Amino acid sequence: MTIEHKPPEHPHPALSEPAEQLASAAGSVAVRRPASAEVPQHFSSVDAAYGTPFSPMDQVQQERFDEMVPLANRSVAVERSPDGGERIIGGQVRIDSALSLPGGASVPVAALSGVGVEPGAHGRGAFRALIREHLREARARGDAGSVLMASLTPLYGRFGYGPATETANWEIDAPAAALQVGAPTQGPVFVEHARGARLHEVLDAVWRAVGTARAGTLERAEAWWRVVLAPEETWLGGGKLMVARHGTAPGYVLYTVDGEHGRQGLAEADIRIRELVAADPAVELDLWRFIAGLPWGRTIRWHYAPVDPAALFWLRDPRQLRRMSHFDFLWLRPLDMPRLTAQRRFAADGRVTLEVTDPVFGDLAGRFALQVRNGSGTWAVADGPADLALSIADLGAMWLGGGSSRQLRAVGRIGGDAAAAHRLDAMLACDGPPRAVARF
Ligand SMILES: CC(C)(COP(=O)(O)OP(=O)(O)OC[C@H]1O[C@@H](n2cnc3c(N)ncnc32)[C@H](O)[C@@H]1OP(=O)(O)O)[C@@H](O)C(=O)NCCC(=O)NCCS
C-alpha cells in the first residue's frame, strides 16, 4: 500500500523569538541563538569538543550550509561571568525534517546535530541545557519527535531518546561480490549524468519512494541535497561522487572509486558505496550487481549501511561480506505519541495499556492505552491497571519496528505482563528492520 508522503506541517514555522527569550539559565550557563558574527566561535567551540581544529568554510560552502541550517536553527551554550561577560562554550544545530514511519507516512521531526561542549567547560550542565532547550523548542514547533545520531551512547537515554535503528559497516573483496545465479532482478542500472537541481529532483523522487517502503527515512529538503552532493566531502556527504540509477524502479547508488596502479602495474580500485537505496530488494540487488561489476575493483566498502542488505541473502558466499561493525544509528525521542500512533500502520490489532515514564516532560508521562483496529492505532489516556511499564525512550526504540518489547522485558527494561509484551510486538512488527540512511 502506498501512503502519500506528506511534507512537515509545522504549526509554528517561524521560530523568530529574540535570543533573550530563549535564554534558559542553568547556573551560570545559558542557551541562546548565536548572532551571525558569532558563527566562527560557535563552530570553533563545537569542533574543539570533537578534537578537530576549526577551519572556516569558504563562502560557497558557508552559503550552502547556511541554507540547510539557518541561524534560527542554531543554539549556543554560553557561560556567564559575574561581571556580565559571556563566552560561547558549545552549541548544536537543528535540521527540520520529517521521518517516515511503518506504512509510509511521515511526521515532522527535529533532527539534532553537532552537539558539543568544549573541553574545560564540561560538567557544568551545558549539554543538559542545550538538549532541554532543543526538546522544548521542538515541542513548541509541533514536531512529533526529535532524532539524532549519538557519538556517545550513554548520553541520550536520560532525555528520553531510544535507539530506533541500527547500522553496519560492510566490506568485501570485489571478486567475491558476485550474486547467485537466479538472484532477483528488476532491470538495468545506468550512470546518471544529470547534475544540479535536476539530479536532486531525480534522487529525491527515489528517496521519497524508499521512505514509504521502509521506516526510518528522513526527508531531505533541496538545501540538504545540495550538501549531500557538494563537491567537497563532509560528514553529510559530497566529494567525487559517481551516481547510478535504476532504469525501471526507484533506486540509486552514490559511490566513489579510488583507483591506483598497484602491484606489477595492475589497475586496482577501492570502491566506496556512499549511499545505496532502493524501495525494493530486487532493485537493491541490481544496484549491488552494478557496483560489483565496476572495473578494477579490489575492495568494496559500504559504511553506514543497512544491517540487512539484500546482498547478504544472495551472495554466492555470504561470509565474504565482512561485518566490520554494527551499532545504533538513529535515536528517536517521541514528543507526540498520539500523532506518532495515528500516522503509523500496525501489523496486528489489539489493545495494550502502558505506564509510561518521561524523564523530561511530566505531562507526557502517565497511563495510556494503545488501541489498534484494522491496522490503525489510537493513543489515549487510560484508567485501570497497566499491562506494561516502560519509558518514553523504550517507545522511541520500538516505534519504527526495530525493537522488541519481549526482549526489553526479558532483560528487565520493561516491566509487566509477558502476554502483553507479545501483543505489543505483534502490533509493532514490520517486514524488516527500519533503515536510516541519512547521516546528519
Ligand atoms: C558529551 C558532552 C556534550 C557533555 O557535555 P557537558 O556539558 O560536560 O555535560 P553536562 O555537564 O551537561 O552533563 C549532562 C549529563 O551527561 C553526563 N555525561 C557527560 N559526559 C558524559 C559521558 N562522556 N558519558 C556519560 N555521561 C556523560 C553527565 O554526567 C550529566 O549527567 P547527569 O544529568 O546525570 O548529572 C561533552 O563532553 C562533549 O562535547 N563531548 C564531545 C562531543 C560529543 O560527544 N557530543 C555528543 C554528540 S552526539
Side-chain angles (χ1 to χ4, degrees), residues 259-269 295-298:
E260 60 175 12
H261 286 278
R263 282 164 288 131
Q264 297 184 327
L266 290 175
E268 292 182 322
W296 315 315
R298 176 171 50 197

Short mmCIF file of all heavy atoms in Angstrom, two decimals, residues 259-269 295-298:
data_model
loop_
_atom_site.label_atom_id
_atom_site.label_comp_id
_atom_site.label_asym_id
_atom_site.label_seq_id
_atom_site.Cartn_x
_atom_site.Cartn_y
_atom_site.Cartn_z
N GLY A 259 41.18 4.77 -7.42
CA GLY A 259 42.00 3.81 -8.16
C GLY A 259 43.48 4.11 -8.10
O GLY A 259 43.89 5.23 -7.81
N GLU A 260 44.27 3.08 -8.36
CA GLU A 260 45.73 3.28 -8.43
C GLU A 260 46.30 2.12 -9.25
O GLU A 260 45.65 1.10 -9.46
CB GLU A 260 46.34 3.27 -7.03
CG GLU A 260 46.10 1.95 -6.30
CD GLU A 260 46.79 1.88 -4.95
OE1 GLU A 260 47.27 2.91 -4.48
OE2 GLU A 260 46.84 0.78 -4.40
N HIS A 261 47.55 2.31 -9.69
CA HIS A 261 48.24 1.20 -10.33
C HIS A 261 49.03 0.48 -9.27
O HIS A 261 49.99 1.01 -8.73
CB HIS A 261 49.12 1.70 -11.48
CG HIS A 261 48.29 2.10 -12.65
ND1 HIS A 261 47.82 1.18 -13.57
CD2 HIS A 261 47.79 3.29 -13.03
CE1 HIS A 261 47.08 1.80 -14.46
NE2 HIS A 261 47.05 3.08 -14.17
N GLY A 262 48.55 -0.69 -8.91
CA GLY A 262 49.15 -1.41 -7.79
C GLY A 262 50.27 -2.32 -8.23
O GLY A 262 51.02 -2.00 -9.16
N ARG A 263 50.35 -3.48 -7.63
CA ARG A 263 51.43 -4.43 -7.91
C ARG A 263 51.54 -4.72 -9.40
O ARG A 263 50.51 -4.89 -10.07
CB ARG A 263 51.16 -5.74 -7.16
CG ARG A 263 51.49 -5.67 -5.68
CD ARG A 263 50.84 -6.83 -4.94
NE ARG A 263 49.38 -6.63 -4.85
CZ ARG A 263 48.46 -7.54 -5.16
NH1 ARG A 263 48.82 -8.72 -5.56
NH2 ARG A 263 47.19 -7.27 -5.05
N GLN A 264 52.74 -4.76 -9.92
CA GLN A 264 53.01 -5.06 -11.33
C GLN A 264 52.19 -4.18 -12.27
O GLN A 264 51.79 -4.61 -13.35
CB GLN A 264 52.72 -6.54 -11.62
CG GLN A 264 53.63 -7.46 -10.82
CD GLN A 264 53.39 -8.90 -11.19
OE1 GLN A 264 52.29 -9.30 -11.51
NE2 GLN A 264 54.44 -9.69 -11.13
N GLY A 265 51.91 -2.94 -11.81
CA GLY A 265 51.21 -2.01 -12.68
C GLY A 265 49.74 -2.32 -12.90
O GLY A 265 49.09 -1.71 -13.74
N LEU A 266 49.19 -3.25 -12.14
CA LEU A 266 47.78 -3.59 -12.32
C LEU A 266 46.90 -2.48 -11.78
O LEU A 266 47.14 -1.97 -10.69
CB LEU A 266 47.45 -4.89 -11.57
CG LEU A 266 48.04 -6.18 -12.12
CD1 LEU A 266 47.72 -7.33 -11.18
CD2 LEU A 266 47.47 -6.46 -13.51
N ALA A 267 45.86 -2.13 -12.51
CA ALA A 267 44.93 -1.13 -12.02
C ALA A 267 44.06 -1.76 -10.94
O ALA A 267 43.53 -2.86 -11.13
CB ALA A 267 44.07 -0.63 -13.17
N GLU A 268 43.93 -1.09 -9.81
CA GLU A 268 43.11 -1.59 -8.71
C GLU A 268 42.33 -0.43 -8.13
O GLU A 268 42.85 0.68 -8.07
CB GLU A 268 44.00 -2.20 -7.62
CG GLU A 268 44.70 -3.47 -8.06
CD GLU A 268 45.54 -4.08 -6.95
OE1 GLU A 268 46.16 -3.30 -6.21
OE2 GLU A 268 45.56 -5.30 -6.83
N ALA A 269 41.13 -0.70 -7.69
CA ALA A 269 40.31 0.40 -7.17
C ALA A 269 39.59 -0.01 -5.90
O ALA A 269 39.09 -1.13 -5.79
CB ALA A 269 39.29 0.81 -8.22
N PRO A 295 34.88 -1.89 -13.10
CA PRO A 295 36.20 -2.41 -13.45
C PRO A 295 37.23 -2.16 -12.35
O PRO A 295 37.12 -1.20 -11.60
CB PRO A 295 36.57 -1.63 -14.71
CG PRO A 295 35.71 -0.42 -14.70
CD PRO A 295 34.47 -0.77 -13.95
N TRP A 296 38.22 -3.01 -12.28
CA TRP A 296 39.40 -2.91 -11.42
C TRP A 296 39.10 -3.05 -9.92
O TRP A 296 39.94 -2.77 -9.09
CB TRP A 296 40.15 -1.57 -11.61
CG TRP A 296 40.35 -1.18 -13.02
CD1 TRP A 296 40.77 -1.98 -14.04
CD2 TRP A 296 40.13 0.10 -13.60
NE1 TRP A 296 40.84 -1.28 -15.20
CE2 TRP A 296 40.45 0.01 -14.96
CE3 TRP A 296 39.69 1.32 -13.08
CZ2 TRP A 296 40.33 1.10 -15.82
CZ3 TRP A 296 39.58 2.40 -13.92
CH2 TRP A 296 39.89 2.27 -15.29
N GLY A 297 37.87 -3.41 -9.59
CA GLY A 297 37.51 -3.43 -8.17
C GLY A 297 38.43 -4.33 -7.35
O GLY A 297 38.67 -5.48 -7.71
N ARG A 298 38.94 -3.78 -6.28
CA ARG A 298 39.75 -4.56 -5.34
C ARG A 298 38.90 -4.81 -4.08
O ARG A 298 38.66 -5.92 -3.69
CB ARG A 298 41.03 -3.80 -5.00
CG ARG A 298 41.89 -4.49 -3.94
CD ARG A 298 43.24 -3.81 -3.79
NE ARG A 298 43.11 -2.38 -3.62
CZ ARG A 298 44.12 -1.52 -3.79
NH1 ARG A 298 45.32 -1.96 -4.13
NH2 ARG A 298 43.94 -0.22 -3.60
#
